[in-house]
Amino acid sequence: MDELEIQFLGEIRVSRGAQELGLPPSRKTRGLLAFLAMDPRSYRREHLCELLWEIPDDPRGSLRWSLSKLRRLVDSDVNIRIVADRSTVAFEPQGVPIDALDLLLLVKQDLAALPLDELKHAADRYQGVFLEGLDLDNFHEFYTWCIGQREQVTQAQIQVLGNLVQRLQSEPEQALEYARKLAALAPTDEAAQMALIDLLGVTGREQEALQQNRQARHQLAEVGIDFSHKADRTRVHHSIKAPKGVDLMTIPAPRKEVMQYVSERIYGRDNEVRALVAGFDKVCEQSRAKLVLLRGEPGIGKSRMLQVGRDLAEKLSTCVLAADAFESEIVRPFALWNDAIRRNQHVDVPALFVSDVPESRDHVFAGLSELIATQCASGPVLVSFDDLQWCDESSAAALHYVMRMNRDRPLYVLAGAREAELRDNTPVNQAIRGLRHEGLLEDIFLGPLDAESICELIKEAAPKSDADRLATESGGNPLLAVELVRAEAAGDKVGSLAQLVRERLARLSDEAREVVLWASVLAPNIDRRTLEPLVGLTRIDLDAALESSQDQIMLVPAERGFRFSHDLIGSSVYQEISESRRQSMHLRIAEQLEVDTALNLQLAADLAHHASKSGDVGLAARAMVSAGRLCLRFYANEDALGLALTGLEHAAKLGDADRVCLSLELSDIRVAAAPVPDWEAAAAEYEHLAEQALDHGALPYARLGYQLASTLRWMHGDCDAARYSSLQAERVTRGGSAEEHILGMAETAKCLVLLEKDLPQADAMLMEARSLASRKNIVTPAIVQASGMLRYYEGELDTAEELLQEARTQFKARGERINEYAANEYLLMIDLERGDFQGAKSHCRALVELGGKVREGSELPYAQAVHCLLDRVGGGDAPGLDASLQALRLADAKFRLSYILNRVALLELEQCHYASALEHAGEALQCTQVLARASEMMFARTTLVLAHQALGQQAEMQEQLDALQNMESMGVARWALQRAEPLIRKGGA
């Protein structure tokens, strides 16, 4: 039965039954699926080519490639969905639920007549932006179509939500959920905004209603609509700062024995504190994980609320893991978790965080989850993360994983985030959406304090002050209120934080003022060692300046040197610096860090941050190269990809020579970090950049460009072009340095071995490379790796193993993870050829581990497929084999796919499963014919001969036997020839 389902709302998802299918990496291929499925009719191939491809890209070839990927994805034995002939292409939608189409059909009905539950189900199901992240705005026709479809879908969602809000007027709490969604979808619709404001008022959410009113007024003013006269319609009955998703008035009071530990009152936050403590109490009582997200503007009290949670947990002897996120550390992998664990002296730091090099994401996720589970076994665990808006991608993903895996344990996570900046952090928002969907997250919105509470706070700090005036000036912000009180006590008359900061800076000496200004640029990593060369002061003068800044309550001692008394103080100081001087200060810091980065990922993160703000695009691009390479070394592939793409944007602004060289370095990181969606266009671009590098005499970069093009083409089966690019890479290094020439020869020899082309030439290159390296005292693992691969091909397995072990060790020490994987891959192949399955299992474990760390390409599916094969050797079922093979097909990894298919077919032949052996060997033969790899081709034909013979299929057997005899004169690997020779001799006899 075909249970295909397609979702276009949000990111594209395709599933068959309960299994979500892997999508083709090409964004154009995904766009093609959407275009065909949303309007299921026949399209001329020319039209589709013009829609998504440009003339230089070979549009017809690209279309054929994309259609082949879609057939694997949506076709089945039961139904053919991609229907194509030489002229036209269509999608057959019969029986396939497509959420966007279903929604558009739904709103054509009379929504008022639909049952309420059906309408609620539709609102929950049909959420998300149509083809989110798939605009393809470089292709005008597709982009126009996509925006038009998106508008239709959005209007349909608005109709459903508007109908629900109207029909649920008598149940305001239920209506509020849909009113929020409606207002978010229609920010410039007066009626939608007023409906939300009214419902916030009716349900007692006064502060949020007022804030929503201000926000709506601003949004509508931007499109020329006067909204201010509607403000008096806000119906509010209680002074309650309730968050969306949490009604503070309905939360039961925590137990007295728990509440008694909250001794210090926080003005105006009684309900929020009660909700926070009750949440902790509930987590402990029910052993049910929960994340409470405290949202609000800077200085509103989020950090103070988090401190309440930490104080409560510590008084109850609860394990506490706490850390703060920093904007400059957003590329440091697992920064929050690493800091939180290292700060807790009572928790053993897991092995995965002992060194500065974290393990794979999967291992880190599993290790963190195990750590939390272990701590939860002894009692509740509180995790406190502040400034979540600056959380790095890997920490956010780990938070989502840890929460889901420990949902039935007493895990309480408190996080604070600035509302405005949080919207810009996509990874964190994805984690938040996922946790909210699974019922593990609640929001508490911290709005401005009411006038009574802010006056109480001010009177306690300064009983004789004009509390009413200061309360008004502070706008309900407690931080600003406290700072204004301090300023007035010092004799200042200021009405804003900016004025207050100016007053305090004016009181400082010139030296101390410079220290504070430099500190604002360095924040949050402020220490004497970094400040001293920047400000040009002696250690004694620097200490005096720091002491003076502390007297003005600006800088205070911190765990890592110094910090500002509040982030808002530091931000205000930073704003006092002119834009041009800020850039020059960032530039000076970045130049200092560029020398010191080495293998320190923290310094690399700081370098990327300061360089990007320096105004020097060349320095910024170089910083992205340094940070990107370190991220690859630490397996932070997503971060490396982001840095590479950002760096390419910087590099595009440079002059020709610098642009070409830095673009190639960044492209090298980009290829290592993730699969390239349009590999043909990318290979052509890298070759074009290599040609430009030649024009500028930049031979090492020309070699890199040709090598990147060769690698991409080999990975996807374009062998002739890969051979050309690889030979060209070696040619351009002949006029360069000895080291570049050695590397060029080694890399080209490796490519020739992979292609099984010109092997005597490859051997000669390696001999010359070894000789030159010995004379010049140059060490490179590329020679050792290529030599080991060649010896494997020649059947000298012991020598090959020794060389590849050496190469693996050197690549691991250098942090070259893809090459480390490749060396392990060949070591495993040697074990399989020997029949040493125990040794193969050991290397397979290394492949699975590395496959989970490196880019999301064919590495992990291949390792998993080998794992399943070895399970079958041991008599297991290996149910995941088919899924791993399908993932390899989708990754278009023909070399790895043909290798594993041949070994599966051989095993099936030995186990007398002849029909399956024929199927898998036949597919392997097709792949190897595309690759023109004689060894695997001979392997496949040998298996086919034996399987046909076992089934008594004489004609088919003879056909394959004739083909084998014709191959006899071709150069093939010794291990393949040894298997085929008995059959060839028998056939000849």
Side-chain angles (χ1 to χ4, degrees):
M1 182 179 179
D2 187 6
E3 299 178 325
L4 190 70
E5 182 175 353
I6 302 176
Q7 296 172 259
F8 290 139
L9 300 182
E11 295 183 357
I12 294 181
R13 293 184 178 181
V14 179
S15 57
R16 197 179 301 280
Q19 181 184 5
E20 184 171 333
L21 305 179
L23 296 175
S26 168
R27 298 173 73 239
K28 294 180 184 178
T29 303
R30 300 182 191 195
L32 178 63
L33 172 63
F35 186 80
L36 293 172
M38 285 299 293
D39 189 1
R41 58 185 175 88
S42 293
Y43 292 92
R44 293 192 61 79
R45 285 178 179 263
E46 291 84 355
H47 176 61
L48 297 176
C49 287
E50 292 171 0
L51 183 77
L52 286 165
W53 288 278
E54 298 172 348
I55 296 300
D57 288 341
D58 180 18
R60 281 189 166 272
S62 298
L63 176 60
R64 287 194 300 273
W65 183 86
S66 288
L67 290 175
S68 70
K69 300 301 176 190
L70 293 181
R71 287 189 181 97
R72 294 176 183 175
L73 182 67
V74 301
D75 286 359
S76 69
D77 295 338
V78 179
N79 290 301
I80 302 299
R81 300 291 179 195
I82 300 297
V83 182
D85 56 30
R86 298 185 67 180
S87 302
T88 63
V89 178
F91 179 83
E92 172 52 57
Q94 189 65 33
V96 181
I98 300 175
D99 56 358
L101 283 179
D102 292 346
L103 171 61
L104 295 176
L105 287 173
L106 176 74
V107 297
K108 290 181 180 179
Q109 305 177 49
D110 181 3
L111 296 181
L114 288 178
L116 190 59
D117 286 344
E118 185 176 339
L119 209 56
K120 289 180 180 179
H121 174 72
D124 292 337
R125 182 187 175 200
Y126 302 127
Q127 298 187 67
V129 177
F130 178 75
L131 297 189
E132 187 171 8
L134 199 68
D135 296 349
L136 297 177
D137 49 11
N138 289 332
F139 297 89
H140 177 72
E141 187 176 347
F142 180 86
Y143 177 74
T144 303
W145 170 83
C146 180
I147 295 302
Q149 292 285 334
R150 189 171 291 169
E151 179 62 25
Q152 286 188 54
V153 167
T154 301
Q155 289 303 317
Q157 292 169 326
I158 288 172
Q159 285 180 254
V160 172
L161 293 170
N163 195 282
L164 273 170
V165 172
Q166 184 65 33
R167 292 171 64 175
L168 288 169
Q169 286 298 310
S170 61
E171 301 178 65
E173 287 290 348
Q174 285 193 49
L176 182 58
E177 174 189 352
Y178 301 108
R180 290 185 191 280
K181 295 177 181 178
L182 178 60
L185 273 178
T188 58
D189 185 305
E190 267 191 293
Q193 298 299 326
M194 272 326 307
L196 175 57
I197 293 169
D198 285 348
L199 284 167
L200 289 169
V202 167
T203 55
R205 294 164 168 84
E206 178 188 44
Q207 294 298 330
E208 194 177 351
L210 293 171
Q211 181 176 349
Q212 183 64 33
N213 191 296
R214 288 193 295 269
Q215 180 178 328
R217 187 162 59 249
H218 175 72
Q219 289 170 332
L220 289 163
E222 289 182 344
V223 294
I225 300 174
D226 180 15
F227 191 66
S228 60
H229 67 285
K230 304 279 185 133
D232 59 350
R233 289 180 55 194
T234 305
R235 299 190 297 271
V236 291
H237 301 303
H238 305 286
S239 179
I240 302 172
K241 280 65 69 179
K244 53 185 178 181
V246 180
D247 185 347
L248 299 178
M249 295 301 291
T250 65
I251 294 176
R255 290 170 296 159
K256 291 182 179 179
E257 60 268 29
V258 176
M259 196 67 190
Q260 68 177 341
Y261 288 106
V262 185
S263 54
E264 184 178 349
R265 183 189 173 194
I266 302 181
Y267 290 99
R269 301 294 186 205
D270 293 347
N271 288 316
E272 287 86 347
V273 170
R274 180 170 145 273
L276 185 150
V277 177
F280 182 81
D281 196 18
K282 187 176 179 181
V283 165
C284 298
E285 286 285 292
Q286 300 182 0
S287 283
R288 173 73 177 175
K290 176 190 283 190
L291 187 155
V292 172
L293 181 60
L294 300 163
R295 310 166 79 117
E297 64 183 41
I300 207 68
K302 301 182 297 298
S303 299
R304 187 67 192 90
M305 290 285 290
L306 291 176
Q307 187 61 51
V308 168
R310 292 194 293 270
D311 291 346
L312 172 63
E314 289 172 357
K315 288 173 181 175
L316 293 172
S317 300
T318 296
C319 174
V320 177
L321 298 174
D324 302 334
F326 298 103
E327 185 179 13
S328 63
E329 297 183 5
I330 205 163
V331 300
R332 184 161 67 97
F334 301 103
L336 274 175
W337 291 98
N338 206 326
D339 291 349
I341 291 170
R342 290 176 184 275
R343 287 177 184 174
N344 190 315
Q345 299 177 354
H346 304 292
V347 173
D348 292 332
V349 178
L352 52 93
F353 282 140
V354 167
S355 71
D356 288 332
V357 183
E359 294 289 339
S360 73
R361 288 170 69 93
D362 289 345
H363 279 77
V364 175
F365 287 1
L368 286 172
S369 181
E370 182 179 352
L371 171 68
I372 294 297
T374 301
Q375 295 298 321
C376 284
S378 304
V381 173
L382 174 74
V383 176
S384 174
F385 289 156
D386 202 0
D387 286 322
L388 199 67
Q389 73 277 355
W390 291 322
C391 175
D392 61 283
E393 182 274 336
S394 45
S395 288
L399 175 62
H400 184 261
Y401 181 88
V402 167
M403 288 290 294
R404 289 190 299 107
M405 292 298 103
N406 295 276
R407 64 172 67 240
D408 295 321
R409 292 190 173 95
L411 170 62
Y412 195 40
V413 180
L414 294 179
R418 297 182 184 179
E419 189 71 17
E421 288 97 329
L422 184 63
R423 301 189 194 103
D424 297 328
N425 192 322
T426 301
V428 172
N429 279 305
Q430 288 174 340
I432 287 172
R433 283 197 300 270
L435 292 172
R436 183 180 289 115
H437 178 72
E438 296 186 39
L440 296 174
L441 181 142
E442 291 179 351
D443 298 87
I444 292 183
F445 176 83
L446 298 180
L449 293 181
D450 58 69
E452 181 181 350
S453 298
I454 204 79
C455 284
E456 284 188 68
L457 174 65
I458 292 168
K459 287 177 180 177
E460 179 175 321
K464 296 181 179 180
S465 63
D466 185 348
D468 292 335
R469 177 180 57 80
L470 292 175
T472 301
E473 290 178 354
S474 70
N477 187 302
L479 170 72
L480 182 54
V482 170
E483 295 300 334
L484 290 175
V485 167
R486 287 173 177 166
E488 188 165 275
D492 301 325
K493 295 292 182 181
V494 293
S496 70
L497 187 60
Q499 288 177 279
L500 183 149
V501 166
R502 291 189 198 106
E503 288 285 341
R504 291 185 180 175
L505 285 173
R507 296 196 197 104
L508 297 173
S509 66
D510 290 344
E511 292 82 2
R513 185 175 186 276
E514 277 296 292
V515 167
V516 173
L517 293 178
W518 277 102
S520 74
V521 179
L522 284 168
N525 299 316
I526 310 166
D527 57 58
R528 286 184 174 86
R529 183 187 63 82
T530 310
L531 275 170
E532 195 168 340
L534 295 172
V535 297
L537 297 176
T538 65
R539 175 60 63 90
I540 294 174
D541 289 341
L542 177 59
D543 286 344
L546 287 169
E547 185 176 346
S548 176
S549 71
Q550 292 178 63
D551 290 341
Q552 293 299 320
I553 320 178
M554 299 189 81
L555 288 175
V556 296
E559 180 183 356
R560 292 187 284 186
F562 294 87
R563 63 175 176 82
F564 281 93
S565 56
H566 194 281
D567 288 345
L568 282 180
I569 301 291
S571 298
S572 294
V573 172
Y574 185 79
Q575 294 303 318
E576 290 298 304
I577 308 172
S578 69
E579 177 65 24
S580 59
R581 191 182 179 207
R582 281 205 297 260
Q583 288 186 347
S584 66
M585 294 169 83
H586 282 296
L587 176 61
R588 188 170 166 194
I589 295 169
E591 288 173 340
Q592 181 173 308
L593 289 170
E594 195 175 21
V595 178
D596 300 333
T597 302
L599 293 181
N600 188 324
L601 190 55
Q602 173 60 60
L603 290 181
D606 288 346
L607 172 59
H609 169 71
H610 290 292
S612 64
K613 292 179 176 293
S614 69
D616 185 333
V617 289
L619 177 63
R622 291 196 304 273
M624 300 307 156
V625 171
S626 301
R629 284 177 177 161
L630 276 177
C631 283
L632 287 177
R633 185 182 185 93
F634 297 126
Y635 311 114
N637 302 305
E638 289 288 336
D639 296 316
L641 177 60
L643 288 164
L645 295 176
T646 301
L648 285 168
E649 292 177 7
H650 291 307
K653 302 171 186 176
L654 295 170
D656 281 351
D658 289 338
R659 173 185 59 80
V660 168
C661 296
L662 282 167
S663 292
L664 283 166
E665 285 193 277
L666 290 159
S667 296
D668 189 28
I669 296 169
R670 194 251 176 278
V671 170
V676 179
D678 192 342
W679 66 269
E680 290 172 302
E685 172 65 14
Y686 300 152
E687 206 158 69
H688 178 61
L689 287 170
E691 290 287 327
Q692 291 178 287
L694 274 179
D695 290 338
H696 293 288
L699 300 184
Y701 297 96
R703 180 203 64 78
L704 177 59
Y706 286 120
Q707 205 65 58
L708 284 172
S710 176
T711 299
L712 281 180
R713 286 167 173 160
W714 171 78
M715 287 170 61
H716 294 279
D718 191 354
C719 299
D720 289 339
R723 176 179 176 274
Y724 167 80
S725 299
S726 186
L727 289 171
Q728 188 68 1
E730 189 273 331
R731 291 188 193 105
V732 302
T733 60
R734 293 175 187 173
S737 67
E739 186 170 2
E740 275 299 321
H741 191 197
I742 290 166
L743 184 58
M745 288 189 289
E747 290 289 348
T748 299
K750 181 177 76 172
C751 182
L752 294 176
V753 174
L754 286 169
L755 296 170
E756 296 190 358
K757 303 282 187 183
D758 306 314
L759 294 178
Q761 183 179 1
D763 204 2
M765 281 184 184
L766 287 172
M767 290 177 62
E768 183 180 353
R770 282 195 295 270
S771 175
L772 183 57
S774 176
R775 293 198 306 272
K776 299 293 184 179
N777 198 27
I778 293 172
V779 177
T780 173
I783 297 176
V784 185
Q785 181 190 32
S787 300
M789 291 165 60
L790 184 59
R791 299 290 88 82
Y792 166 76
Y793 175 88
E794 294 172 343
E796 300 177 18
L797 300 185
D798 291 344
T799 304
E801 180 182 29
E802 183 178 344
L803 289 167
L804 288 163
Q805 285 285 16
E806 181 183 346
R808 184 203 67 82
T809 302
Q810 290 188 35
F811 283 131
K812 186 175 182 66
R814 291 174 175 230
E816 296 183 29
R817 305 308 181 189
I818 296 295
N819 282 323
E820 180 188 349
Y821 181 98
N824 273 297
E825 182 178 5
Y826 268 81
L827 287 167
L828 180 140
M829 291 159 66
I830 290 171
D831 287 333
L832 288 178
E833 197 56 45
R834 288 170 168 165
D836 179 5
F837 297 117
Q838 287 304 315
K841 286 181 179 179
S842 174
H843 286 117
C844 183
R845 284 192 291 271
L847 283 185
V848 171
E849 182 178 347
L850 273 169
K853 299 176 182 180
V854 297
R855 62 191 176 199
E856 294 181 5
S858 63
E859 285 78 12
L860 183 57
Y862 174 75
Q864 291 170 334
V866 175
H867 177 75
C868 293
L869 171 66
L870 292 172
D871 276 353
R872 281 197 177 183
V873 170
D877 293 335
L881 179 60
D882 289 340
S884 299
L885 292 175
Q886 180 62 12
L888 285 173
R889 294 183 188 105
L890 290 173
D892 200 27
K894 291 184 177 63
F895 170 70
R896 286 176 173 143
L897 178 61
S898 62
Y899 179 87
I900 195 66
L901 284 169
N902 265 331
R903 274 64 192 176
V904 170
L906 176 61
L907 178 61
E908 290 170 335
L909 183 69
E910 293 171 350
Q911 296 177 345
C912 302
H913 301 313
Y914 303 120
S916 297
L918 283 176
E919 179 185 350
H920 287 125
E923 185 181 354
L925 181 59
Q926 290 178 350
C927 290
T928 56
Q929 286 172 327
V930 173
L931 296 169
R933 282 182 59 87
S935 300
E936 292 297 329
M937 197 183 305
M938 181 171 279
F939 197 112
R941 290 195 187 281
T942 302
T943 302
L944 288 170
V945 168
L946 295 171
H948 283 308
Q949 183 181 45
L951 292 170
Q953 298 170 345
Q954 295 300 316
E956 292 85 349
M957 180 194 76
Q958 191 60 47
E959 179 184 353
Q960 295 298 333
L961 193 55
D962 291 343
L964 269 180
Q965 289 176 312
N966 292 333
M967 291 181 64
E968 186 177 5
S969 60
M970 298 173 59
V972 294
R974 186 171 298 175
W975 43 263
L977 192 58
Q978 287 173 345
R979 291 193 69 245
E981 274 182 336
L983 294 177
I984 295 171
R985 287 197 302 269
K986 182 178 178 181

PDB file of all heavy atoms in Angstrom, residues 707-718:
ATOM      1  N   GLN A 707      41.163  20.866  -7.443  1.00  0.00           N
ATOM      2  CA  GLN A 707      40.965  19.690  -6.592  1.00  0.00           C
ATOM      3  C   GLN A 707      39.531  19.638  -6.063  1.00  0.00           C
ATOM      4  O   GLN A 707      38.932  18.557  -5.994  1.00  0.00           O
ATOM      5  CB  GLN A 707      41.951  19.729  -5.423  1.00  0.00           C
ATOM      6  CG  GLN A 707      42.268  18.361  -4.851  1.00  0.00           C
ATOM      7  CD  GLN A 707      42.992  17.487  -5.872  1.00  0.00           C
ATOM      8  OE1 GLN A 707      44.055  17.844  -6.371  1.00  0.00           O
ATOM      9  NE2 GLN A 707      42.418  16.338  -6.172  1.00  0.00           N
ATOM     10  N   LEU A 708      38.978  20.790  -5.701  1.00  0.00           N
ATOM     11  CA  LEU A 708      37.581  20.818  -5.256  1.00  0.00           C
ATOM     12  C   LEU A 708      36.650  20.368  -6.378  1.00  0.00           C
ATOM     13  O   LEU A 708      35.715  19.584  -6.152  1.00  0.00           O
ATOM     14  CB  LEU A 708      37.207  22.236  -4.805  1.00  0.00           C
ATOM     15  CG  LEU A 708      37.722  22.698  -3.450  1.00  0.00           C
ATOM     16  CD1 LEU A 708      37.428  24.186  -3.250  1.00  0.00           C
ATOM     17  CD2 LEU A 708      37.088  21.890  -2.330  1.00  0.00           C
ATOM     18  N   ALA A 709      36.888  20.861  -7.589  1.00  0.00           N
ATOM     19  CA  ALA A 709      36.058  20.466  -8.721  1.00  0.00           C
ATOM     20  C   ALA A 709      36.175  18.971  -8.972  1.00  0.00           C
ATOM     21  O   ALA A 709      35.173  18.280  -9.219  1.00  0.00           O
ATOM     22  CB  ALA A 709      36.465  21.255  -9.964  1.00  0.00           C
ATOM     23  N   SER A 710      37.397  18.453  -8.886  1.00  0.00           N
ATOM     24  CA  SER A 710      37.610  17.021  -9.106  1.00  0.00           C
ATOM     25  C   SER A 710      36.891  16.183  -8.058  1.00  0.00           C
ATOM     26  O   SER A 710      36.239  15.179  -8.382  1.00  0.00           O
ATOM     27  CB  SER A 710      39.115  16.716  -9.072  1.00  0.00           C
ATOM     28  OG  SER A 710      39.346  15.330  -9.182  1.00  0.00           O
ATOM     29  N   THR A 711      36.981  16.602  -6.818  1.00  0.00           N
ATOM     30  CA  THR A 711      36.334  15.857  -5.729  1.00  0.00           C
ATOM     31  C   THR A 711      34.822  15.796  -5.932  1.00  0.00           C
ATOM     32  O   THR A 711      34.208  14.728  -5.809  1.00  0.00           O
ATOM     33  CB  THR A 711      36.659  16.514  -4.379  1.00  0.00           C
ATOM     34  OG1 THR A 711      38.065  16.487  -4.170  1.00  0.00           O
ATOM     35  CG2 THR A 711      35.959  15.787  -3.237  1.00  0.00           C
ATOM     36  N   LEU A 712      34.208  16.935  -6.220  1.00  0.00           N
ATOM     37  CA  LEU A 712      32.761  16.955  -6.421  1.00  0.00           C
ATOM     38  C   LEU A 712      32.353  16.071  -7.597  1.00  0.00           C
ATOM     39  O   LEU A 712      31.364  15.334  -7.530  1.00  0.00           O
ATOM     40  CB  LEU A 712      32.284  18.386  -6.665  1.00  0.00           C
ATOM     41  CG  LEU A 712      32.134  19.290  -5.438  1.00  0.00           C
ATOM     42  CD1 LEU A 712      31.661  20.675  -5.861  1.00  0.00           C
ATOM     43  CD2 LEU A 712      31.166  18.700  -4.428  1.00  0.00           C
ATOM     44  N   ARG A 713      33.113  16.154  -8.681  1.00  0.00           N
ATOM     45  CA  ARG A 713      32.744  15.372  -9.865  1.00  0.00           C
ATOM     46  C   ARG A 713      32.934  13.882  -9.636  1.00  0.00           C
ATOM     47  O   ARG A 713      32.130  13.069 -10.084  1.00  0.00           O
ATOM     48  CB  ARG A 713      33.571  15.858 -11.058  1.00  0.00           C
ATOM     49  CG  ARG A 713      33.078  17.215 -11.562  1.00  0.00           C
ATOM     50  CD  ARG A 713      34.034  17.878 -12.507  1.00  0.00           C
ATOM     51  NE  ARG A 713      33.422  19.086 -13.071  1.00  0.00           N
ATOM     52  CZ  ARG A 713      34.087  20.078 -13.623  1.00  0.00           C
ATOM     53  NH1 ARG A 713      35.413  20.018 -13.674  1.00  0.00           N
ATOM     54  NH2 ARG A 713      33.450  21.120 -14.118  1.00  0.00           N
ATOM     55  N   TRP A 714      33.990  13.497  -8.934  1.00  0.00           N
ATOM     56  CA  TRP A 714      34.179  12.077  -8.631  1.00  0.00           C
ATOM     57  C   TRP A 714      33.061  11.554  -7.733  1.00  0.00           C
ATOM     58  O   TRP A 714      32.521  10.476  -7.954  1.00  0.00           O
ATOM     59  CB  TRP A 714      35.533  11.854  -7.946  1.00  0.00           C
ATOM     60  CG  TRP A 714      35.654  10.449  -7.444  1.00  0.00           C
ATOM     61  CD1 TRP A 714      35.944   9.332  -8.177  1.00  0.00           C
ATOM     62  CD2 TRP A 714      35.426  10.001  -6.107  1.00  0.00           C
ATOM     63  NE1 TRP A 714      35.914   8.219  -7.376  1.00  0.00           N
ATOM     64  CE2 TRP A 714      35.600   8.599  -6.104  1.00  0.00           C
ATOM     65  CE3 TRP A 714      35.093  10.635  -4.918  1.00  0.00           C
ATOM     66  CZ2 TRP A 714      35.460   7.834  -4.958  1.00  0.00           C
ATOM     67  CZ3 TRP A 714      34.957   9.883  -3.769  1.00  0.00           C
ATOM     68  CH2 TRP A 714      35.138   8.499  -3.794  1.00  0.00           C
ATOM     69  N   MET A 715      32.686  12.341  -6.718  1.00  0.00           N
ATOM     70  CA  MET A 715      31.640  11.916  -5.785  1.00  0.00           C
ATOM     71  C   MET A 715      30.328  11.616  -6.502  1.00  0.00           C
ATOM     72  O   MET A 715      29.551  10.760  -6.083  1.00  0.00           O
ATOM     73  CB  MET A 715      31.409  12.993  -4.719  1.00  0.00           C
ATOM     74  CG  MET A 715      32.511  13.097  -3.681  1.00  0.00           C
ATOM     75  SD  MET A 715      32.340  14.570  -2.637  1.00  0.00           S
ATOM     76  CE  MET A 715      30.744  14.273  -1.891  1.00  0.00           C
ATOM     77  N   HIS A 716      30.083  12.326  -7.599  1.00  0.00           N
ATOM     78  CA  HIS A 716      28.799  12.187  -8.294  1.00  0.00           C
ATOM     79  C   HIS A 716      28.917  11.449  -9.625  1.00  0.00           C
ATOM     80  O   HIS A 716      27.991  11.481 -10.432  1.00  0.00           O
ATOM     81  CB  HIS A 716      28.181  13.566  -8.499  1.00  0.00           C
ATOM     82  CG  HIS A 716      27.805  14.229  -7.213  1.00  0.00           C
ATOM     83  ND1 HIS A 716      26.636  13.954  -6.536  1.00  0.00           N
ATOM     84  CD2 HIS A 716      28.463  15.146  -6.452  1.00  0.00           C
ATOM     85  CE1 HIS A 716      26.584  14.674  -5.435  1.00  0.00           C
ATOM     86  NE2 HIS A 716      27.673  15.404  -5.356  1.00  0.00           N
ATOM     87  N   GLY A 717      30.053  10.771  -9.856  1.00  0.00           N
ATOM     88  CA  GLY A 717      30.142   9.858 -10.985  1.00  0.00           C
ATOM     89  C   GLY A 717      30.584  10.476 -12.298  1.00  0.00           C
ATOM     90  O   GLY A 717      30.574   9.797 -13.319  1.00  0.00           O
ATOM     91  N   ASP A 718      30.991  11.748 -12.328  1.00  0.00           N
ATOM     92  CA  ASP A 718      31.463  12.366 -13.567  1.00  0.00           C
ATOM     93  C   ASP A 718      32.971  12.136 -13.650  1.00  0.00           C
ATOM     94  O   ASP A 718      33.789  13.040 -13.417  1.00  0.00           O
ATOM     95  CB  ASP A 718      31.130  13.866 -13.546  1.00  0.00           C
ATOM     96  CG  ASP A 718      31.354  14.524 -14.895  1.00  0.00           C
ATOM     97  OD1 ASP A 718      31.869  13.848 -15.811  1.00  0.00           O
ATOM     98  OD2 ASP A 718      31.022  15.716 -15.043  1.00  0.00           O
TER      99      ASP A 718
END
